[in-house]
Amino acid sequence: MTIRFSLSLISTVFLVAGCAAGGGVGEYGMGDDAAVIKASRNRETARVSRAELEQHRRQRIAAAEEIDLANKRRQAKNEEINDTLGTVNKAVNVLGNLRWLTRVW
């Protein structure tokens, strides 16, 4: 019983240590991608036309505008929530003050 537990504990420790050390599968392909990029440089097929560059620029602008709009919506929603919470807080303070005044009188 203790031998099985010890073996499973040791294998778990090695597994966790291996995962923490890195060496993921994604790192193996990086060198291959770099080699392909270097090999295809200055080839006619690797060049991008002006129309493609303009399309990429328009897509980047559109994506940036979408992100900006999403941020503005999020900010407006947060301000709306904060305003509501501020109103509730003021109402609670008013009720607390009224309660205090009724005790005094």
Side-chain angles (χ1 to χ4, degrees):
M1 183 78 148
T2 58
I3 293 174
R4 286 184 186 173
F5 179 73
S6 299
L7 288 177
S8 64
L9 181 65
I10 290 171
S11 61
T12 304
V13 168
F14 281 118
L15 180 65
V16 170
C19 291
V25 177
E27 294 176 5
Y28 293 116
M30 289 174 58
D32 296 337
D33 290 341
V36 169
I37 290 170
K38 286 179 184 177
S40 65
R41 271 196 192 136
N42 297 323
R43 287 189 185 167
E44 192 64 33
T45 57
R47 295 188 182 145
V48 180
S49 69
R50 287 193 182 274
E52 289 173 318
L53 287 175
E54 184 63 26
Q55 178 64 26
H56 288 300
R57 186 184 68 79
R58 284 193 302 266
Q59 287 174 343
R60 284 193 310 272
I61 290 172
E65 288 173 352
E66 287 178 16
I67 291 170
D68 186 47
L69 181 60
N71 287 338
K72 287 179 181 177
R73 285 181 182 160
R74 191 176 306 115
Q75 184 179 5
K77 187 67 173 176
N78 286 340
E79 287 176 1
E80 179 184 344
I81 290 170
N82 287 336
D83 288 344
T84 303
L85 290 176
T87 303
V88 169
N89 190 24
K90 287 177 185 177
V92 167
N93 286 336
V94 166
L95 291 175
N97 290 338
L98 286 175
R99 185 174 163 196
W100 182 79
L101 284 175
T102 57
R103 277 196 223 157
V104 172
W105 291 94

